[in-house]
Amino acid sequence: MEKAIPDKRKKKLSKDQLTAMAFLLPSIIFVIVFVYGFISWTGYISLSNYNTIVPDYSFAGLKNYLYLFNDFRFQADLRNTLFFTILFIGAVILLGLALSILLDQKLKGESIFRNIFLFPMALSFIVTGVVWQWLLHPSTGFNKFLNLFGIQPKWYTDTTILAGFKWGSIEFGLPVAIIAVVIAAVWQMTGFSLAMYLAGLRGIGDELREAARMDGATEFQVYMKIILPQLMPITMSVVIIMAHISLKIFDLIYAMTGSGANFVTDVPGLYMFETTFRGNYYANGAAIAIIMLLLVAVFIVPYLWSSRKGEN
Amino acid sequence: MASIRIGSIIKYTLLIIVSLFFLTPIYVIVMTSLKPLSEVSIDQMWALPTALDFSSYKVAFDSLAPNLLNSFYLVIPATLLSALFGAMNGYVLSKWKFRGSDALFTFILFGMFIPYQSILIPLIQFLRTIELYNTIPGLVLVHVVYGLPITTLMFRNFYASIPDELIESAQIDGANFLGIFRHIIIPLSIIGFVVVAIWQFTNIWNEFLFAVTITTGSKQPVMVALQNLSGSQIVQWNVQMAGALLAALPTLLVYIFLGKYFVRGLLAGSVKG
C-alpha cells in the first residue's frame, strides 16, 4: 500500500520521519477537534432539549428528528432540495459539456468565450443572489423579453407546484419558483463543469479521434462513441461536487429569495440558519445540520472510498 | 466548404447567444450603478443611462468601506496561513509517507465536503469560550482550519509532480526534512503557492455562512454588509448594484489578471485525492 522505504535508508530517516509526523500533528488535532469532534457535539445537541436560549443538554431521544419529519417546512425543504439538485446538476452538466465541445472546435476567440463563461465562478453567491433577484424580478428583468412571446412568468414569487400531489402535509412536485434559483446557480457554476470538461477533452489525444474518423465515423459518432465515454470519470466528479454544493446551498437563496411563500424556495441550509440563530432552537437546528451531513455523506463517502482505492 | 462555413456559423451563433446570457448581469450591474436615482426604476432597467452618475458608488463605498477593510484584514492572514499549513501537510503526505498516511489524508479530506452547518453550533460555543467570537482573528482561525483539507489536497497533488529522486539525492547530500523543504520544495512550488493563495483568497472573500454567524455589526466582512445593504428597503437599486460591484471587485481583478492560476486552482480542487 504505502511506498516502501528502502531498508538501508530506513534507519537514517527515522529522525526526519518523526519530524514529518510532528509537522502534521497540529493539523490532525485541528481536524479531529473542529471536524469530527464538533460533528459529534452537534449530534449530541440534536438529541437534546436545547431549544431555548439557556443551554439544556438533557437527553430528548429522537424527538427533534421526529418533529422535523412531520414538519411542513422541513418536508418542503426536502422536496425543494431534491428538485433543485436534479435541475441544477442536469443543467450544469449539459450546458458545461455542450459549451466545452463548442470551445474544443479550435474556433477563433475561444479564450474570450471561455473567460466569459468562467468569470461568474469568481463571484460570491451573495453577489449572484443580489443581481439575479433583480434580473428575475417578477415585473421586469427577463420578463421584458418573454412578454414579447406572451409569457409572463412570476419567477421566484410563483407558488405553483408542477405535477403536484399530496405527500405528508405538503404538495409534492416541482415548485416553479425553484427554477428561478436554478437559473442563477447555473449561471454561476457552469464555468466549473466547463473547465473540467475542457481539461478532459484536451487530455484525449487527437490520434484516437483521427483513427475513428479514418474508419469512417461521423463527427457525431466520434463524440458519442469515443469522447463521451472517456469523459465519464469527469462527469462523476462534477456530479459529486455539484451535489455537495446543492445539498448545502444557503447563501444564494438567502440573498435571492429567502424561504418564499409556502416555503417554495426554502432549503435545509436556510431553515437551519433561521431556526438556530433567529429562533434559538439549537437542538432542532442541530438535527437539520446532521440530516444535511448525512445527505452529503451518502455521496461523498463512497466517492472518497473509491478514489482512495483507485489510487492504491 | 459551404457546409464547414455553415457549421461554424452555427457554432458562433450558439456561443454568442450563451455569452449574452452570461454577460447580462454584468450589463445590468454596470448600467444601473451608473444611473442617477431618477432613472433607476424597474421599467428602465435595460435602458442605457442618459447621463453618467457616480454618486451611487460614493454612497455604496461610504457604507461598505469599513467592511471592505474587515475583509482584507481577514483574507490576507487567512490566505497566507492556509497556504503555509497546506504546503507543510502536502509535503509530508506526498514525500514523507508513513504507514497509514494515505488513510490519514482521506480522514482530513472529508472535512472539505461537510456542510458547515454541521459544525457551526459547537464552533460558535468554542469561539465564545476562547473569546474569539465576533472578532476577525476568530474568522481567520476558522478559515485556516476548514481550509486545511483543500490546501493539503492541492499541495499534495502539486508535490506529487516533483520527482522523488530530487529528495533522495538531497538526503544523500545530508539535507534534513526542513532543509529539503526550504531549499528544494519551496523554490519549486512558487506556482503552487500562487494557485492555492488565489483559491483561498477567492473562497474566503466570498464566504458568507461563517461571516454572518460569527461576526456582527462593525466586525462583519463585506459580503454580510452587502447582503444587509440589499436587505434594507430604503437603499436604491443603483446603490445596491454599485455595492455588489465593489464587493466583487477584488476577486474579479484576481480573475482578470491571474485567470490562468484561478482555473488551475479550480481544477486542482476538484481532482480526486
Side-chain angles (χ1 to χ4, degrees):
Chain A
M1 222 167 83
E2 280 78 34
K3 212 170 39 177
I5 299 159
D7 272 325
K8 58 178 176 187
R9 276 204 291 134
K10 210 168 189 176
K11 223 173 188 176
K12 206 178 134 208
L13 271 182
S14 62
K15 199 185 152 211
D16 281 336
Q17 197 71 63
L18 282 175
T19 321
M21 287 167 159
F23 269 97
L24 211 51
L25 201 61
S27 297
I28 295 170
I29 293 171
F30 272 132
V31 169
I32 289 174
V33 173
F34 280 71
V35 176
Y36 296 92
F38 284 1
I39 286 174
S40 311
W41 185 241
T42 303
Y44 183 73
I45 293 175
S46 76
L47 299 171
S48 77
N49 286 307
Y50 189 4
N51 275 323
T52 51
I53 298 178
V54 188
D56 174 4
Y57 296 117
S58 60
F59 188 67
L62 292 174
K63 193 184 80 182
N64 301 307
Y65 291 91
L66 293 174
Y67 167 78
L68 283 175
F69 284 109
N70 289 309
D71 177 31
F72 173 82
R73 181 171 180 180
F74 194 66
Q75 289 174 0
D77 289 357
L78 293 179
R79 171 197 67 196
N80 299 342
T81 302
L82 177 72
F83 285 104
F84 179 81
T85 302
I86 293 171
L87 293 177
F88 170 66
I89 296 180
V92 164
I93 287 195
L94 288 179
L95 192 55
L97 184 61
L99 290 174
S100 71
I101 289 174
L102 277 174
L103 288 181
D104 195 38
Q105 309 286 316
K106 302 183 175 77
L107 297 173
K108 274 189 193 143
E110 182 223 305
S111 71
I112 298 170
F113 286 119
R114 197 180 56 223
N115 288 334
I116 290 173
F117 302 140
L118 267 162
F119 86 88
M121 290 285 310
L123 303 179
S124 77
F125 270 130
I126 294 295
V127 170
T128 302
V130 167
V131 176
W132 280 94
Q133 183 194 12
W134 205 30
L135 279 168
L136 296 179
H137 194 286
S139 59
T140 176
F142 279 105
N143 299 344
K144 288 252 160 177
F145 294 128
L146 295 172
N147 289 351
L148 299 174
F149 306 99
I151 311 167
Q152 288 182 304
K154 288 186 277 182
W155 298 112
Y156 54 83
T157 57
D158 202 322
T159 53
T160 317
I161 308 284
L162 291 179
F165 59 88
K166 203 75 181 159
W167 176 68
S169 52
I170 62 150
E171 175 125 32
F172 190 84
L174 169 65
V176 171
I178 282 288
I179 296 170
V181 188
V182 169
I183 290 174
V186 167
W187 177 79
Q188 172 141 22
M189 296 306 297
T190 294
F192 180 83
S193 65
L194 168 71
M196 294 275 285
Y197 279 126
L198 212 49
L201 285 169
R202 298 281 144 88
I204 299 173
D206 276 340
E207 307 81 38
L208 210 59
R209 306 183 200 197
E210 282 309 320
R213 284 186 195 119
M214 296 288 263
D215 289 344
T218 63
E219 235 6 58
F220 182 73
Q221 282 172 326
V222 170
Y223 275 98
M224 291 308 284
K225 297 257 167 67
I226 312 251
I227 297 188
L228 285 187
Q230 296 233 24
L231 293 177
M232 262 321 277
I234 291 180
T235 304
M236 274 306 296
S237 296
V238 175
V239 168
I240 296 290
I241 287 161
M242 291 301 135
H244 114 269
I245 289 174
S246 98
L247 291 172
K248 67 182 190 186
I249 192 140
F250 161 68
D251 24 6
L252 175 68
I253 291 177
Y254 184 78
M256 194 177 164
T257 64
S259 49
N262 278 334
F263 302 117
V264 282
T265 56
D266 200 51
V267 286
L270 190 59
Y271 192 11
M272 188 277 169
F273 173 78
E274 287 181 355
T275 202
T276 311
F277 301 105
R278 301 282 179 261
N280 294 316
Y281 294 103
Y282 290 91
N284 279 348
I288 298 170
I290 292 296
I291 295 169
M292 289 174 72
L293 178 71
L294 293 176
L295 288 175
V296 171
V298 166
F299 283 88
I300 293 307
V301 171
Y303 176 72
L304 287 179
W305 190 259
S306 70
S307 60
R308 222 171 87 66
K309 268 180 144 175
E311 196 173 87
N312 294 329
Chain B
M1 247 354 245
S3 74
I4 293 172
R5 212 170 300 139
I6 290 168
S8 58
I9 287 172
I10 293 173
K11 286 168 192 166
Y12 277 114
T13 313
L14 286 173
L15 283 173
I16 288 167
I17 290 171
V18 184
S19 295
L20 289 178
F21 169 73
F22 273 78
L23 289 172
T24 306
I26 291 293
Y27 171 82
V28 171
I29 293 178
V30 174
M31 288 311 149
T32 308
S33 67
L34 291 172
K35 282 177 187 174
L37 195 57
S38 59
E39 287 178 29
V40 178
S41 78
I42 264 161
D43 297 330
Q44 300 173 358
M45 85 185 263
W46 299 102
L48 291 167
T50 55
L52 292 185
D53 183 340
F54 289 94
S55 61
S56 60
Y57 281 93
K58 192 183 175 333
V59 178
F61 185 78
D62 286 345
S63 81
L64 293 181
N67 310 94
L68 279 164
L69 262 183
N70 285 344
S71 281
F72 280 111
Y73 290 144
L74 160 67
V75 80
I76 292 168
T79 299
L80 294 177
L81 285 169
S82 272
L84 198 65
F85 268 102
M88 294 302 293
N89 295 345
Y91 172 52
V92 174
L93 290 170
S94 64
K95 297 294 172 224
W96 295 88
K97 287 190 181 187
F98 48 88
R99 219 179 143 66
S101 63
D102 283 340
L104 196 64
F105 174 63
T106 309
F107 179 81
I108 295 173
L109 202 59
F110 179 69
M112 187 172 134
F113 295 101
I114 59 164
Y116 292 134
Q117 283 86 354
S118 67
I119 46 88
L120 201 51
I121 299 170
L123 176 69
I124 288 168
Q125 292 176 333
F126 177 77
L127 289 176
R128 282 187 198 279
T129 312
I130 61 168
E131 294 183 358
L132 283 181
Y133 179 76
N134 197 21
T135 65
I136 299 294
L139 267 186
V140 171
L141 172 73
V142 168
H143 282 293
V144 172
V145 169
Y146 293 105
L148 284 174
I150 181 84
T151 57
T152 302
L153 167 73
M154 289 167 97
F155 273 110
R156 182 180 177 269
N157 289 351
F158 187 82
Y159 289 149
S161 64
I162 295 178
D164 288 346
E165 290 75 31
L166 219 56
I167 315 283
E168 281 158 22
S169 63
Q171 281 174 335
I172 291 163
D173 292 345
N176 64 7
F177 173 83
L178 264 185
I180 295 169
F181 186 63
R182 272 180 48 196
H183 299 299
I184 296 175
I185 297 288
I186 290 195
L188 284 175
S189 55
I190 302 302
I191 287 177
F193 274 97
V194 171
V195 169
V196 171
I198 285 172
W199 177 260
Q200 282 300 85
F201 179 92
T202 309
N203 276 350
I204 298 168
W205 185 275
N206 288 341
E207 202 279 335
F208 185 70
L209 182 62
F210 287 138
V212 77
T213 49
I214 289 171
T215 56
T216 57
S218 66
K219 295 293 194 308
Q220 287 169 337
V222 70
M223 284 307 155
V224 185
L226 173 66
Q227 171 56 26
N228 293 342
L229 192 70
S230 60
S232 69
Q233 299 298 314
I234 315 134
V235 184
Q236 299 298 321
W237 281 107
N238 55 344
V239 175
Q240 287 189 28
M241 293 298 141
L245 200 60
L246 285 177
L249 208 53
T251 53
L252 272 179
L253 289 176
V254 163
Y255 174 75
I256 290 166
F257 291 109
L258 300 162
K260 193 171 75 178
Y261 303 103
F262 177 86
V263 176
R264 234 187 262 186
L266 210 69
L267 297 172
S270 61
V271 170
K272 298 195 281 183

